[in-house]
Amino acid sequence: MSRARRIVLVLVAALATASTAAADGAAPTVTLLSPANGTTLTLDGKHDAAFSWRIDFAQAQTTPTAITFTVSADPTFQGPHYTESRSCDPSSPGCFTSTTLKGTSWINAATGSAALPSRTMTLYWHVSVDWQSGQTPVNSANGLLTGAPGIDKTPPRIAVRKTTVKRGSRARVGFQLADDSGTVTAKAQLLYHGKQLLSTTKTFTDVDWANVYVFWFDVPRTGVPTGRYSACVRGTDMHGNSARRCATLTIR
């Protein structure tokens, strides 16, 4: 083979390799826009949290992209986290550049708790772009936010059901609970003419008004006057707000 032909082949190979590297290396960049680092979010489920970012593509996309937004109390994003993902067509590869989080479900997912936070905490967020098959997804820098508990002044919602029971049987007093925080400590009491006869306390998580909770006790066959008693439940949420409701319990 002539020297000139060898040089041509080497140049062709070199150019082909350089072209491939350029195609593989032209990854997009992701820039977080808002909220700015250090911003405080009120984590009470009543304040919306708006996030936005920018994606700059170095070259025209020929395949779909997948964009994923994640927020977590874990800086590694390996623990509990909230995520949203969207696929975008090549004609509009950056179709997902903002989201507004509402309610409490995203807070529960990001913190790994069924209850709303009762203390200040740090939240992290980032955006990932899966831009080309066989290539490592591109991640933004991590955003750093402060999550603050809301100022909850609303007491739990409570309802106690009237009950009739015979001596020598088990009394079951049904009651309902609801609270924005999801966690309520219930103190149930049985009173006769205003005097407490017995009480019990239990903390319920993920309370739901649709559920019926039960306060029960056994009524002796003898030594217990028949008549009207009061069955009361005091509910206290994790912020110290409380309410008390009573209903008549009749022993026959």
Side-chain angles (χ1 to χ4, degrees):
M1 180 183 295
S2 68
R3 176 180 174 81
R5 181 166 176 76
R6 286 199 301 270
I7 292 174
V8 170
L9 289 175
V10 170
L11 287 175
V12 169
L15 288 173
T17 302
S19 176
T20 301
D24 288 347
T29 57
V30 186
T31 305
L32 303 183
L33 299 179
S34 66
N37 281 343
T39 297
T40 296
L41 303 180
T42 302
L43 305 180
D44 60 357
K46 300 175 183 178
H47 293 75
D48 296 348
F51 294 81
S52 64
W53 56 92
R54 188 181 72 244
I55 304 173
D56 296 305
F57 290 88
Q59 62 186 26
Q61 288 294 119
T62 59
T63 58
T65 60
I67 303 172
T68 301
F69 160 85
T70 306
V71 58
S72 175
D74 177 7
T76 69
F77 299 95
Q78 299 301 307
H81 60 275
Y82 173 82
T83 185
E84 292 182 10
S85 297
R86 191 174 303 174
S87 296
C88 303
D89 292 332
S91 60
S92 181
C95 69
F96 180 35
T97 56
S98 66
T99 187
T100 299
L101 308 184
K102 302 175 180 289
T104 60
S105 60
W106 75 271
I107 302 172
N108 300 147
T111 61
S113 173
L116 293 174
S118 59
R119 59 179 178 80
T120 300
M121 64 193 318
T122 300
L123 292 177
Y124 307 86
W125 69 290
H126 73 182
V127 175
S128 174
V129 180
D130 190 348
W131 60 284
Q132 185 174 307
S133 177
Q135 297 297 316
T136 302
V138 173
N139 292 316
S140 69
N142 289 349
L144 185 66
L145 306 170
T146 299
I151 302 175
D152 180 8
K153 297 183 179 180
T154 304
R157 183 184 176 193
I158 305 172
V160 183
R161 300 181 177 184
K162 293 182 179 180
T163 306
T164 298
V165 61
K166 293 182 179 180
R167 287 185 291 186
S169 62
R170 174 166 291 181
R172 292 178 172 84
V173 180
F175 60 96
Q176 293 165 273
L177 294 173
D179 191 74
D180 289 343
S181 70
T183 299
V184 176
T185 298
K187 180 180 180 179
Q189 299 172 290
L190 179 67
L191 301 99
Y192 185 60
H193 296 315
K195 181 180 179 180
Q196 177 177 293
L197 303 179
L198 57 88
S199 70
T200 184
T201 301
K202 183 175 181 178
T203 297
F204 298 92
T205 59
D206 199 22
V207 294
D208 190 323
W209 190 253
N211 295 335
V212 177
Y213 306 91
V214 177
F215 161 44
W216 64 267
F217 56 93
D218 293 324
V219 181
R221 289 185 180 275
T222 60
V224 176
T226 58
R228 300 177 65 180
Y229 293 69
S230 293
C232 300
V233 176
R234 177 177 293 280
T236 304
D237 66 17
M238 57 194 305
H239 300 293
N241 304 302
S242 67
R244 183 174 182 261
R245 297 290 183 272
C246 298
T248 299
L249 182 143
T250 302
I251 295 180
R252 293 178 178 175

